[in-house]
Amino acid sequence: MRITANTDICVGAGQCALVAGALFDQDDDGIVELLDEHPGAADEPAARRAAALCPAHAITLQD
């Protein structure tokens, strides 16, 4: 799996960091910061949940 995070459309809701803190963080303005572009199998469910919860659809996943 590969994760991409579009910082241009991120609205800073923080859902990604809440549900997948090992994969996402937020900068000082609340914009998404991707911590792990290629998560292991154990983190894939959290990545999928973060992408699903993102109100701006700023997180995309590629298998």
Side-chain angles (χ1 to χ4, degrees):
M1 168 183 284
R2 179 174 181 246
I3 303 172
T4 55
N6 185 337
T7 58
D8 292 332
I9 63 172
C10 175
V11 295
Q15 295 301 307
C16 56
L18 288 174
V19 300
L23 303 174
F24 303 97
D25 199 356
Q26 292 177 281
D27 68 13
D28 291 338
D29 294 322
I31 302 301
V32 64
E33 290 184 334
L34 182 58
L35 301 177
D36 188 355
E37 184 178 337
H38 298 284
D43 288 323
E44 286 187 19
R48 292 187 191 286
R49 182 156 171 77
L53 290 174
C54 180
H57 305 287
I59 299 168
T60 57
L61 308 176
Q62 299 167 339
D63 289 319

